[in-house]
Amino acid sequence: MEADLQDLTGEVISQKTFDSGYAILRVELAKGNVATLVGDMPEFACGVMVAASAVKTEHPKYGVQYKVKDIQEKGFSSIEGVVNYLSGASFDGIGKSYARMVAEHFGSDALSILDESIEKIYDVPGLPHARAQSIEQQWTQNRAAHKLISNLIKYNVNVNLALKIHSHFEEVALEIVEKDSYRLTEVYGVGFQKADDIALKVGIPRNSESRVEAAIKYILENALVQGGHCYMDHYNIGEQATLLLQGDANLNHVLAAIKSLISKGTLVLEDQKIYLSTIYESEKKVTDIISDLMQYKGKVYYKSVEDLDHDLKIVGLGDFTFSDEQKNAILSALNNRVFIITGGPGSGKTTITKAICRLMDYHKINFNLCSPTGRAAKRLMESTLFEAKTIHRLLKVSPDGGFEFNDYNPLMTDCVIIDETSMVDLLLFKHLLSALESNDRLILIGDVDQLPSVGPGNILKDLINSNKIPYVRLNKVFRQDAKSAIVLAAHDVIGGRVPELIVPSKAQGKNFMFAGAEKIDDVIGILKHLVQKTLPSVKVNEKNLTVDDIQILTPMREKGLGVNDINPKLQEVLNPRADNKEEIQAGMLSGGPKIFRVGDRVMQIKNDYEKNVFNGDMGKIVGINKQTSPVQVGVKFPDLNEVVIYKQHELDDLQHAWCITVHKSQGGEFPAVIILAHDSQTTMLQRNLFYTGITRAKKICIVVGTSNAVKSAVNNTRETKRNTTLKERLISKIK
């Protein structure tokens, strides 16, 4: 025991809890002395007895305080304490009168009695059955979370993270913490280091096989999430594992653990490549399904371009001037079982998609339009006038992450058309293919020069590079788009040429501009001026641009011109603090705590199947309710009818979205886009990233930064290679 660690027992007089979970607790000790306890703690009702282990400290302003290392409830000192607890913010809809019924029935021992046998709540005379049910449900949930927080404090886990752990594992959370600590890495925000600290404190030996195995799984999962890799080799795993385990394991230990995980079926070894079994099986399944689809000859709808021209007139597209390559793309898409259409901005992918949809409708082909993101699906529906869904909503995702449409319950369709296919990762692609039948068709549309998916794999590029899937690459910039400076700039960049950098004052109607700024503060100043004054004065389709029409893109999350630094500065001018706007400090991950305020533009940054919101979905905060425990935040997403409710500890799943990374912008188009390209970002600026950013702009694109950074981006063709074997599997499988 630490020399200055003291045991304190007393009755809670008051508690002030901050948004972060940090609390100041005043406790009346024996003989009427009052102690101030500080630290991360669950909320305690006034009147409850607590026992704490704490370190005595001296605050320069507030005097003696006790920093809590461990704290537990010990019941209530009086019936009134029970009443206050049950009628407080932790219990919704109970009220004083029903709380008093419970308190008078069980007395001050209510806490221990109901913790041991919550079903006794139904024995309270006069308590309506519905109220008893509500108390039972809320008691079970609240008390489990409360106990978990109390137990995790000693492991230096803050309140909000403890609530996330409880939300993920629910009633078995404490058991997971104490018996299978490394599973905590499943929770967003708990890395290996935090899980390892807890595991060692609960008694896992430093040289245990389970610890080494956990490190290996984490390394492979991290490579998947951070780099999109489907496999790693022994050397890289061994190198990273020895560092992660701080020298407690050597290469031989790691190799032995890999062998053990292979025997358990957790990992797969093939050609000296090590895969997580789920990823390995996904690559194989995608290969097998694509191969099966291509084996069957489908109906040939068009034998000649002349036949196609005839039907294009029938479906109302006879006045369109399709190029030869566009016509061939439409014809091939209708005639092949699997077909890929790729091309840059202005090449006519949208027009081709519209034509394919109309022709399929004419031939009574039952088809589904889908895209990886809600933004892309909405744009697809607007351009084709046919219903389009996200892939998740097409497959009908369930709260547990599974899909209603799958191997055993296929989609009722003849053809699936996927737009923005470059964004689709291996796992989602596998799920979609699994819902097809062997006689269905598949049309994939996307720009192979854009960034690959955030998730694992490089689907579109691997399919094209296999040379086993018929495809067309559209190279011609089509009609009016050839006059767009945005389109010309995008094609310059992907062709390795620095686009013309014209300052706004000399742009003379051109929609691709450059605003130079050497200093980071000057960049921020220009951003503020653009979003507050310059762009809102610009008319697009006879309407002035609004803040909601403007999207700022940056290559990175951290540092001076990253998302985490820019958004608070934009919040100051676009949604400043006001007496009529509720706000809350939350979100302890990804750059530290943030102020979330009513009116903020936010983005979901991980899939949440229960809420039916997904990585990249953007919405606006429409309400903050501080009367609930925990605090609730309401977000309205354009694609959902209802407001989505976030509890305080779930706000790590949101980030402010006036400025987002280029990666997160994929699948979306915005009327006005501002791209940051500054010398401080040159390590992140790559040609395909800069190109992707430009192609997000529909009407106006402004690059802010330095001409040197733009040149660096154009000349940097170094793409991070993704470890995938889909291309090789397709080459081997399809003859």
Side-chain angles (χ1 to χ4, degrees):
M1 182 179 289
E2 298 176 46
D4 56 352
L5 197 63
Q6 298 186 23
D7 293 325
L8 304 170
T9 300
E11 180 181 335
V12 174
I13 301 172
S14 66
Q15 179 171 358
K16 180 176 179 143
T17 301
F18 297 89
D19 294 338
S20 64
Y22 183 88
I24 301 172
L25 196 69
R26 288 174 56 79
V27 176
E28 185 175 350
L29 308 176
K31 300 180 181 179
N33 294 325
V34 176
T36 301
L37 280 57
V38 298
D40 281 294
M41 290 177 274
E43 291 196 38
F44 296 101
C46 289
V48 73
M49 299 295 294
V50 295
S53 296
V55 176
K56 186 177 181 180
T57 62
E58 185 78 29
H59 192 279
K61 182 177 180 179
Y62 300 110
V64 175
Q65 295 182 334
Y66 295 87
K67 185 172 177 56
V68 172
K69 298 294 184 181
D70 186 19
I71 188 166
Q72 303 292 331
E73 286 177 327
K74 295 297 181 182
F76 288 94
S77 60
S78 67
I79 287 177
E80 285 305 313
V82 180
V83 174
N84 291 335
Y85 178 60
L86 286 173
S87 61
S90 298
F91 291 86
D92 183 42
I94 306 303
K96 286 272 187 185
S97 59
Y98 291 123
R100 188 167 296 282
M101 286 182 185
V102 177
E104 290 179 350
H105 182 74
F106 294 113
S108 59
D109 292 330
L111 199 68
S112 58
I113 293 171
L114 294 178
D115 273 347
E116 185 175 336
S117 304
I118 183 58
E119 65 274 6
K120 290 184 178 179
I121 193 69
Y122 295 97
D123 298 335
V124 177
L127 185 67
H129 187 77
R131 295 289 180 179
Q133 279 185 318
S134 178
I135 293 174
E136 179 186 29
Q137 183 182 0
Q138 295 186 68
W139 187 279
T140 303
Q141 186 176 27
N142 293 344
R143 297 298 297 163
H146 201 284
K147 288 179 181 177
L148 183 68
I149 295 169
S150 296
N151 279 278
L152 287 178
I153 288 170
K154 54 191 171 192
Y155 303 126
N156 296 320
V157 175
N158 66 53
V159 171
N160 284 326
L161 188 53
L163 288 169
K164 286 170 70 73
I165 292 170
H166 177 260
S167 179
H168 187 86
F169 294 111
E170 295 181 337
E171 69 272 4
V172 297
L174 188 56
E175 184 181 351
I176 295 291
V177 168
E178 294 176 342
K179 296 182 179 178
D180 198 5
S181 308
Y182 293 105
R183 282 193 61 192
L184 294 176
T185 57
E186 296 174 18
V187 180
Y188 179 71
V190 182
F192 180 84
Q193 197 60 62
K194 176 62 71 175
D196 194 42
D197 288 344
I198 294 172
L200 294 175
K201 286 177 180 175
V202 300
I204 300 288
R206 299 189 71 88
N207 61 350
S208 69
E209 184 177 292
S210 64
R211 185 172 181 240
V212 182
E213 289 182 359
I216 292 166
K217 287 190 287 185
Y218 177 77
I219 288 165
L220 281 161
E221 288 163 355
N222 195 56
L224 182 152
V225 173
Q226 299 297 328
H229 299 300
C230 296
Y231 69 85
M232 294 181 69
D233 59 41
H234 290 86
Y235 175 78
N236 283 328
I237 294 174
E239 188 177 46
Q240 292 186 39
T242 52
L243 287 171
L244 201 59
L245 296 168
Q246 303 172 352
D248 293 326
N250 57 35
L251 183 58
N252 288 331
H253 292 131
V254 175
L255 293 176
I258 289 173
K259 188 175 180 180
S260 173
L261 288 168
I262 292 170
S263 68
K264 295 174 183 176
T266 306
L267 305 183
V268 174
L269 172 64
E270 182 183 79
D271 298 331
Q272 303 305 306
K273 301 176 179 71
I274 299 169
Y275 305 77
L276 289 165
S277 59
T278 53
I279 300 300
Y280 176 80
E281 295 300 332
S282 293
E283 273 201 351
K284 285 194 66 178
K285 190 161 189 175
V286 166
T287 303
D288 290 343
I289 295 174
I290 292 287
S291 177
D292 288 345
L293 289 174
M294 293 185 62
Q295 279 185 16
Y296 296 93
K297 298 294 182 183
K299 181 178 177 180
V300 175
Y301 287 90
Y302 297 103
K303 293 182 179 180
S304 68
V305 172
E306 288 74 23
D307 292 340
L308 177 66
D309 285 337
H310 176 269
D311 283 3
L312 285 172
K313 291 178 182 176
I314 291 176
V315 300
L317 295 175
D319 293 336
F320 277 72
T321 306
F322 292 97
S323 67
D324 289 342
E325 69 175 5
Q326 288 178 320
K327 288 180 181 180
N328 286 323
I330 297 168
L331 185 147
S332 298
L334 270 291
N335 287 345
N336 282 280
R337 296 292 309 285
V338 183
F339 192 70
I340 299 171
I341 301 170
T342 186
S347 60
K349 295 192 301 297
T350 299
T351 304
I352 289 171
T353 306
K354 181 177 6 181
I356 291 170
C357 291
R358 288 197 186 182
L359 291 167
M360 283 194 169
D361 187 55
Y362 171 68
H363 288 290
K364 294 182 169 49
I365 301 171
N366 181 22
F367 66 93
N368 289 101
L369 280 172
C370 62
S371 190
T373 69
R375 296 192 303 276
K378 183 180 179 182
R379 177 166 52 82
L380 187 59
M381 187 158 56
E382 289 171 348
S383 62
T384 65
L385 301 180
F386 288 90
E387 183 182 25
K389 298 178 180 179
T390 65
I391 298 173
H392 285 92
R393 292 181 179 121
L394 173 65
L395 299 177
K396 292 190 177 180
V397 65
S398 59
D400 63 358
F403 293 94
E404 182 177 324
F405 294 107
N406 50 43
D407 304 74
Y408 308 103
N409 183 32
L411 288 164
M412 299 299 291
T413 190
D414 299 318
C415 177
V416 170
I417 303 171
I418 308 177
D419 193 26
E420 297 286 356
T421 308
S422 63
M423 294 182 61
V424 181
D425 66 36
L426 174 67
L427 295 172
L428 186 56
F429 195 53
K430 184 261 298 189
H431 285 301
L432 178 60
L433 294 186
S434 298
L436 299 181
E437 295 187 286
S438 57
N439 60 342
D440 290 338
R441 296 171 181 263
L442 181 66
I443 300 173
L444 306 174
I445 302 167
D447 187 348
V448 74
D449 292 320
Q450 288 187 20
L451 292 168
S453 60
V454 175
N458 202 345
I459 295 297
L460 188 60
K461 182 172 270 188
D462 282 350
L463 290 172
I464 291 174
N465 289 346
S466 74
N467 288 315
K468 294 294 183 178
I469 316 297
Y471 74 94
V472 64
R473 181 160 191 151
L474 305 170
N475 294 303
K476 182 181 177 180
V477 179
F478 194 59
R479 292 191 329 215
Q480 71 273 12
D481 289 323
K483 301 176 184 178
S484 167
I486 294 173
V487 171
L488 295 176
H491 283 273
D492 279 341
V493 169
I494 207 63
R497 302 177 297 275
V498 177
E500 189 177 9
L501 302 177
I502 305 174
V503 297
S505 60
K506 298 181 180 180
Q508 297 178 343
K510 291 190 176 181
N511 58 2
F512 181 82
M513 293 163 274
F514 174 76
E518 299 283 341
K519 297 179 179 178
I520 289 178
D521 286 346
D522 291 340
V523 173
I524 300 296
I526 290 172
L527 286 181
K528 289 181 177 179
H529 192 272
L530 285 172
V531 299
Q532 280 186 288
K533 297 182 178 179
T534 305
L535 288 173
S537 68
V538 175
K539 280 188 168 20
V540 172
N541 298 330
E542 300 182 355
K543 292 183 179 179
N544 284 72
L545 290 173
T546 69
V547 170
D548 292 336
D549 296 322
I550 305 166
Q551 186 60 64
I552 299 169
L553 305 180
T554 181
M556 56 196 194
R557 292 188 56 80
E558 310 296 338
K559 300 181 181 178
L561 290 176
V563 168
N564 293 333
D565 285 326
I566 291 176
N567 273 314
K569 293 179 174 66
L570 292 175
Q571 186 186 41
E572 291 173 2
V573 296
L574 296 178
N575 192 31
R577 181 175 282 108
D579 291 340
N580 63 341
K581 292 181 186 176
E582 285 283 6
E583 63 181 49
I584 181 175
Q585 186 181 55
M588 303 304 295
L589 307 174
S590 183
K594 305 173 182 66
I595 299 294
F596 288 97
R597 185 175 296 140
V598 172
D600 282 349
R601 186 199 296 180
V602 292
M603 172 184 279
Q604 178 78 12
I605 58 174
K606 64 186 287 286
N607 291 338
D608 190 320
Y609 301 107
E610 190 170 344
K611 287 184 172 62
N612 200 28
V613 290
F614 305 101
N615 192 352
D617 286 352
M618 294 175 66
K620 183 174 287 188
I621 296 177
V622 294
I624 297 176
N625 185 357
K626 290 189 171 183
Q627 303 307 308
T628 59
S629 180
V631 175
Q632 294 183 345
V633 176
V635 180
K636 183 68 178 72
F637 293 93
D639 297 334
L640 299 176
N641 294 324
E642 71 278 2
V643 173
V644 179
I645 302 300
Y646 291 78
K647 295 177 181 177
Q648 184 174 331
H649 62 274
E650 296 174 323
L651 293 178
D652 276 321
D653 297 347
L654 295 176
Q655 70 173 33
H656 291 102
W658 293 288
C659 177
I660 61 177
T661 63
V662 178
H663 283 85
K664 290 292 188 183
S665 73
Q666 291 182 87
E669 285 187 345
F670 310 92
V673 167
I674 303 169
I675 305 172
L676 301 186
H678 189 264
D679 293 343
S680 62
Q681 304 168 319
T682 51
T683 56
M684 297 290 295
L685 282 168
Q686 298 171 351
R687 182 183 295 178
N688 63 340
L689 183 141
F690 192 47
Y691 169 78
T692 300
I694 294 172
T695 59
R696 300 307 90 201
K698 291 171 65 176
K699 299 296 182 181
I700 297 173
C701 182
I702 304 175
V703 179
V704 180
T706 64
S707 58
N708 181 63
V710 174
K711 292 174 185 175
S712 295
V714 173
N715 293 325
N716 184 2
T717 59
R718 186 183 69 255
E719 295 180 32
T720 304
K721 183 181 179 299
R722 292 196 165 186
N723 294 337
T724 76
T725 42
L726 179 61
K727 181 184 79 171
E728 289 75 17
R729 294 187 194 282
L730 290 165
I731 293 171
S732 175
K733 181 81 173 181
I734 302 174
K735 304 302 181 186

